[in-house]
Amino acid sequence: MKFLGYQRPDGSVGIRNHVLVIPSLLHGFISSQICSMVQGTKTISIPSGNFEGHTNRDREKADRTLIGLGLNPNVASVIVDNEYRSLLPISEEIAKSGKRVVTLDSKSDGGTFGSIGKGVQIAREMVVAASKMRRQEFDMSHLTLAVKCGGSDATSGIAGNPVVGNVFDRIIEAGGTAMFGENTEIVGAEHVLAKRAVNDAVAKRIKKAADDIDAAVQSTGEDLRTINPTQGNKDGGLSTIEEKSLGAIHKSGTKPIQDVIEYGERPQGKGLYWCDNNPGMNIFTGYAASGAQILFQSTGTTSFPSNYDLLLTSPGIVSPLLFTTANPRTVELAPTAIDFYSGTVLEGADTIESAGETLLRLVLDVASGTMTNVETFSYQNPTSFYLKDPVF
């Protein structure tokens, strides 16, 4: 099975063809103005100061995430606005991929408005160049997928997550890459995941991640088992954190876990990887920085009292987000947001395998250019980065 994508100079394959404008650590005014005037561009909207972190560890992680977004195969070329406070050489690292990278500097560009004018002209050139590229046929070994689950309920562990996991298995069998994560969502099931690790070192890292997040929550005076499952999870039929985690890890499929990677870190090979990240929506920004071309949100229940046509826009910035659910009520409440319904497994019309086959064909359609429902919106929610160190 194949898809139509864009060949990049470093050998990776994009399923989208964006020009990315990376904002300054000071503000996103210049980047947002460039993108408001030039079609085909993307930028990152964040709460003030979040790029920086506070420790050098977090600042490097933020820089690494920006570099990763620029390296994502869905990006054709990059403009970087003023990186003088960066710890890592953002432009240089992205340029190693062979993509065109241009850096703006208001000190030499004639001030803020000079940078805007220069950036607009460069972005227009880059978009025209990107538009001349043509899709070519590639096999599934060039795909990297990533998944988050949310609003978990009884349908999630039985059908919703296993169907996504089946797609992961198929992509990995074809030579591709897949990522899953959420450190709070493995507690109570970390021993099950550890058995799938390729070696003892990876198994220990999985267990340590679960222990660390458990300890971090306890340090606040809370207990992870009293705040998770949430009331929404309980209303959806889940009773304990172990039950929730055992259902959540089904989204990873059955393949061996090659390694544990940090937020925004890129896998060093093919296969399945577990990411040490949090369950917030900024998980998708990190996945895109890690190289994922397509993102999954495996959704269970939603408690909104009326139709909710937009669940969220994609925090993946450059990577499309595909919503799946096995809960018919969720489809009823969010009819124009859900891309795939796997509740047919619960209804007896499908098996996990047959539903996985249908979802895989949708994935290849999206990889070939079909837009996901939330991708049709131009509005981009602000995002943040998963920075672990204390704020001071």
Side-chain angles (χ1 to χ4, degrees):
M1 300 176 73
K2 300 182 183 295
F3 70 98
L4 299 174
Y6 299 100
Q7 180 74 67
R8 301 300 180 207
D10 63 356
S12 63
V13 176
I15 69 166
R16 298 294 182 265
N17 212 22
H18 304 304
V19 170
L20 178 65
V21 186
I22 296 177
S24 157
L25 292 173
L26 298 175
H27 57 71
F29 180 74
I30 290 173
S31 61
S32 65
Q33 293 304 303
I34 292 170
C35 290
S36 71
M37 287 188 267
V38 184
Q39 295 186 46
T41 57
K42 292 280 188 177
T43 191
I44 310 156
S45 176
I46 61 159
S48 177
N50 178 265
F51 275 177
E52 294 184 62
H54 295 277
T55 64
N56 280 342
R57 244 187 330 268
D58 274 351
R59 289 174 179 173
E60 287 184 4
K61 182 187 286 188
D63 288 349
R64 185 181 70 218
T65 303
L66 295 174
I67 291 167
L69 289 170
L71 290 173
N72 187 289
N74 294 345
V75 173
S77 51
V78 182
I79 296 173
V80 181
D81 176 29
N82 203 335
E83 55 181 301
Y84 80 96
R85 294 176 70 176
S86 304
L87 292 183
L88 301 179
I90 295 174
S91 299
E92 291 178 22
E93 289 298 316
I94 298 172
K96 289 178 181 178
S97 67
K99 296 178 183 179
R100 184 185 178 193
V101 181
V102 175
T103 303
L104 303 178
D105 185 346
S106 56
K107 293 191 297 295
S108 57
D109 293 339
T112 296
F113 300 108
S115 282
I116 292 173
K118 177 181 176 181
V120 166
Q121 291 296 76
I122 293 170
R124 292 175 65 202
E125 293 172 8
M126 288 179 168
V127 168
V128 169
S131 73
K132 294 179 180 179
M133 299 177 184
R134 296 295 177 264
R135 290 183 180 267
Q136 304 171 47
E137 193 173 75
F138 296 94
D139 62 50
M140 294 191 296
S141 67
H142 294 279
L143 287 178
T144 299
L145 311 181
V147 64
K148 176 195 182 310
C149 57
S152 298
D153 62 12
T155 71
S156 299
I158 299 171
N161 291 339
V163 170
V164 174
N166 182 266
V167 172
F168 272 33
D169 284 351
R170 292 167 187 255
I171 291 292
I172 291 168
E173 288 168 1
T177 307
M179 296 178 282
F180 72 113
E182 297 175 277
N183 42 28
T184 61
E185 308 301 295
I186 67 168
V187 173
E190 65 272 22
H191 61 292
V192 179
L193 282 183
K195 291 178 180 178
R196 291 167 53 194
V198 294
N199 55 45
D200 289 342
V202 174
K204 288 177 181 177
R205 291 185 69 187
I206 292 171
K207 292 177 181 177
K208 184 177 185 302
D211 290 342
D212 286 350
I213 195 64
D214 206 356
V217 174
Q218 289 183 27
S219 72
T220 68
E222 297 275 3
D223 186 333
L224 188 57
R225 288 154 187 80
T226 62
I227 60 178
N228 198 357
T230 65
Q231 188 58 50
N233 298 144
K234 294 174 183 177
D235 292 344
L238 303 181
S239 59
T240 65
I241 193 171
E242 290 82 6
E243 185 179 28
K244 181 179 179 182
S245 294
L246 287 168
I249 64 175
H250 277 306
K251 64 182 182 281
S252 68
T254 64
K255 299 304 181 185
I257 300 171
Q258 300 298 318
D259 205 352
V260 173
I261 60 176
E262 291 292 320
Y263 183 91
E265 184 181 0
R266 302 181 77 81
Q268 294 304 301
K270 301 286 189 175
L272 180 66
Y273 291 80
W274 187 77
C275 303
D276 184 2
N277 51 28
N278 68 335
M281 298 314 296
N282 62 7
I283 192 173
F284 292 120
T285 313
Y287 281 148
S290 294
Q293 300 123 307
I294 299 180
L295 310 170
F296 287 89
Q297 169 75 50
S298 179
T299 300
T301 186
T302 183
S303 57
F304 295 102
S306 60
N307 280 16
Y308 198 68
D309 293 331
L310 175 63
L311 293 177
L312 77 159
T313 56
S314 176
I317 315 298
V318 296
S319 298
L321 178 61
L322 191 154
F323 272 94
T324 77
T325 188
N327 190 323
R329 178 63 173 155
T330 301
V331 177
E332 180 184 342
L333 291 173
T336 63
I338 300 298
D339 297 288
F340 184 80
Y341 175 58
S342 53
T344 51
V345 174
L346 300 174
E347 296 158 5
D350 267 314
T351 63
I352 297 295
E353 291 73 21
S354 62
E357 175 77 15
T358 304
L359 178 55
L360 178 60
R361 291 186 182 279
L362 174 59
V363 167
L364 296 177
D365 281 345
V366 171
S368 297
T370 298
M371 298 182 79
T372 66
N373 283 323
V374 297
E375 193 182 7
T376 61
F377 286 94
S378 59
Y379 175 75
Q380 176 65 60
N381 277 352
T383 188
S384 59
F385 297 159
Y386 178 47
L387 306 179
K388 291 183 179 180
D389 288 344
V391 175
F392 55 85

